[in-house]
Amino acid sequence: MFETLKKAPVDKIFALMGEYRADPRKDKTDLGIGVYKDPTGETPIMSAVKKAEQKVFADAKTKTYVGVSGNRGFCDAVTDLVFGDAIEKSRIASVQAPGGTGSIWVLLQLLNRARPGGTMWISDPSWPNHQPMCELAGLNVKAYPYFDAESGDVKFDEMLACLDKMGPEDTVLLHACCHNPTGANLTNEQWDKVAASLKKTGAFPLIDLAYLGFGDGLEADAYAPRKLASELPEVMLAFSASKNFGLYRERAGCAVCVGSDENTAAIAYSQMANIIRASYSQPPDHGAEIVRLILSDPALRAEWEAELKEMRERMVRLRVKLADAIRERSNATDFDFVARHRGMFSLLGLDKAQVEHLKLSNGIYMIDDSRINVAGIPEDRVGELADALLAVAR
Ligand code: LMR
């Protein structure tokens, strides 16, 4: 039977991670997969996570099932973190899912039940997994204008013009903050306009919130979900704890449907639970229990917020250092957008051959669309990186 199939394409982000690990060069630089790195180039377990994990192990009494929709304390703590007091809690239906990707997957299944074969609009460009995920869920994928490669900013007027032409049958996938892969984000005023457009056309938002706290802070990064959920009757949101809690391999995420009222929220909840039971039965608990504990314990929460702030500030500092180093060497402002961007990524605007050259000649790894993970910028070798980028860009 298997011979009747073709080999499927590999995911380029994880393929690059494998290539990087296999590269024997000592001075290689990993700007590829989106995992946070400290100044030594490691991805350590956050200290609040380590402490919570020890408590989880010490206090555990059973390994029996938690339930189809997962850890309720986790879901409530996450939705409080995301929405604050912006909306009535009775409108919120949430389930725990395996990571941000698992959360998107649950929501896409629900979407396909409500609107079989409907259209999903994703940003041009978007995270490389968005399109295959939507297609696997049976949705048609179209792209809305987003990134202006010339300026490094969002083509907001074109984006809005495209949104304004949509109708109630359309769904729009929006990156709440820290856009992946470009690093270019909407201002609050632009989010207000997006909310007004969606209100007018009836197009439905699916918000991907994978980097809460990595952009401008926990409150600032929650602006879009709060605005959209308070202005619109219904919203879907996928939350990931992979990055902001550094829980990548534990797969802790939350799929949220905000309904117009308690009754529609209850329908959405039952649908999500039904989808989960028929697919993977229930999510893993360990990562979710760590997050629940951190968010509910004032001391652990303060420690986590301080660590998250330190990570965010380090990424901003690395952005500024790289942009400065390039400007000093080239006397040009071509890469200044790196300092303006927020989150983990920036799209540099190099072509595939230039990206390949950097990998082969300099051991500098980035995704083939020239997306870099700024947390991977080596702080003590920023000048070397700037030299290599300029050499290949010329
Ligand atoms: C990334 O974009 O590098 C991360 O979100 C990891 C992933 O799952 O692709």
Side-chain angles (χ1 to χ4, degrees), residues 309-321:
K309 181 165 181 275
E310 199 181 308
M311 290 156 76
R312 175 172 66 247
E313 288 176 351
R314 187 175 121 74
M315 288 187 282
V316 173
R317 192 168 69 240
L318 290 169
R319 289 181 171 284
V320 172
K321 279 198 171 175

Side-chain angles (χ1 to χ4, degrees), residues 11 13-14 32-35 101 127-129 180 211 243 345 371:
D11 175 83
I13 296 177
F14 277 88
I33 192 159
V35 292
T101 307
W127 179 49
N129 207 20
N180 181 3
Y211 296 88
K243 326 282 166 154
F345 307 115
R371 185 194 81 173

Side-chain angles (χ1 to χ4, degrees), residues 20 23 25-31 37-42 314 317-326 328-329 358-359 361-365 372 374-390:
Y20 177 82
D23 186 337
R25 284 176 286 185
K26 288 242 159 3
D27 57 350
K28 59 188 178 175
T29 304
D30 182 13
L31 307 177
K37 287 165 192 292
D38 71 8
T40 68
E42 299 300 322
R314 187 175 121 74
R317 192 168 69 240
L318 290 169
R319 289 181 171 284
V320 172
K321 279 198 171 175
L322 182 61
D324 284 353
I326 294 177
E328 279 158 20
R329 282 166 172 75
L358 283 167
K359 182 174 79 184
S361 305
N362 304 81
I364 296 171
Y365 284 72
I372 60 164
V374 297
I377 295 173
E379 202 157 5
D380 51 345
R381 291 188 290 119
V382 177
E384 259 172 61
L385 178 62
D387 287 336
L389 293 176
L390 281 169

Side-chain angles (χ1 to χ4, degrees), residues 105-145:
W105 190 85
V106 170
L107 296 170
L108 291 176
Q109 298 301 318
L110 185 150
L111 198 57
N112 202 27
R113 285 185 174 182
R115 297 170 167 186
T119 299
M120 174 66 87
W121 292 83
I122 62 175
S123 60
D124 176 23
S126 201
W127 179 49
N129 207 20
H130 278 152
Q131 180 159 350
M133 286 187 75
C134 293
E135 287 171 350
L136 188 63
L139 302 165
N140 293 311
V141 181
K142 289 187 182 165
Y144 59 85

